[in-house]
Amino acid sequence: MDETWSWGSAETEGTARSERSEIMPCGIFVDEEGDWYHEGNRIVRDEIIELFFQHLVLTSGERFLLEWENSRCLLDVADTPFVISRVDLEKAGQGEQVLLSFRHRTSRHPLAPGTLWVGRANVLYCRVHDGKFRARFSRPAYYQFAAMLREDDGRFFISLDGTRHFIRDADPAGMPIIPAAS
């Protein structure tokens, strides 16, 4: 699939899909820790960043776009905009779940434990939003999560409701891992 789209509004959807050109950059950079910058200035208002998350699109080529009012622009992302800042083990009905909190977001999301993997430089990741996006554990969240882990024959896992969920060595979704910015 061609990952490029025309910039700006199109008269019809067919026109937008037939006119292929490079997507213009937004001038927005998201660093490895999940902080957002516009033209070098840090964006400090979480409600603005939340709005960006609501309009975030990921292409099959792992490019992050902001899509809003028939316009698209390309984000410059060091790793992933989804950075987990905290993990909490909570009882849910008769079972247990791990809830993830993200930088710049007020909502929490349950961990899909089968999506855990270790990437480059031993960074812990999981998939979020029905597996659509890759999320990176911040160092504090990693240490919180590490306290929940157990080890069996050199492999680490989290046990939820008596089921072991092992951490993998690669993204279970088979998506390419974008190298961290140097």
Side-chain angles (χ1 to χ4, degrees), residues 65 67 70 86 117 119 128 131 144-145 155:
L65 307 175
E67 184 176 72
N70 297 320
R86 180 179 177 82
W117 85 94
V128 295
Q144 285 179 317
F145 190 71
R155 294 180 60 208

Side-chain angles (χ1 to χ4, degrees), residues 7-155:
W7 174 254
S9 60
E11 292 176 11
T12 66
E13 186 174 326
T15 303
R17 294 190 188 282
S18 65
E19 293 177 11
R20 307 290 187 196
S21 63
E22 276 303 309
I23 300 170
M24 300 297 293
C26 298
I28 297 175
F29 171 70
V30 183
D31 71 13
E32 287 181 336
E33 297 302 317
D35 288 321
W36 293 59
Y37 297 84
H38 180 257
E39 297 180 355
N41 298 306
R42 186 165 179 230
I43 301 171
V44 294
R45 294 183 55 191
D46 287 343
E47 63 272 16
I48 293 172
I49 297 172
E50 180 64 34
L51 180 68
F52 292 156
F53 274 114
Q54 292 171 11
H55 295 279
L56 191 64
V57 174
L58 181 66
T59 69
S60 61
E62 289 282 306
R63 295 171 66 186
F64 291 95
L65 307 175
L66 287 180
E67 184 176 72
W68 193 5
E69 297 179 354
N70 297 320
S71 295
R72 288 183 171 193
C73 65
L74 181 64
L75 288 177
D76 182 10
V77 179
D79 189 357
T80 178
F82 295 91
V83 176
I84 299 162
S85 59
R86 180 179 177 82
V87 296
D88 295 293
L89 180 63
E90 294 190 359
K91 298 287 181 191
Q94 298 296 327
E96 304 170 297
Q97 69 178 353
V98 174
L99 291 177
L100 307 174
S101 299
F102 297 91
R103 296 283 314 259
H104 308 292
R105 307 213 59 197
T106 56
S107 59
R108 298 189 313 165
H109 298 273
L111 169 70
T115 69
L116 290 163
W117 85 94
V118 176
R120 293 187 178 102
N122 293 318
V123 174
L124 185 62
Y125 292 90
C126 67
R127 303 229 35 109
V128 295
H129 298 292
D130 297 322
K132 185 175 179 181
F133 296 103
R134 183 179 67 248
R136 174 190 180 105
F137 283 73
S138 67
R139 188 176 304 271
Y142 170 83
Y143 286 122
Q144 285 179 317
F145 190 71
M148 300 176 199
L149 293 177
R150 302 292 174 253
E151 186 259 340
D152 182 13
D153 199 26
R155 294 180 60 208

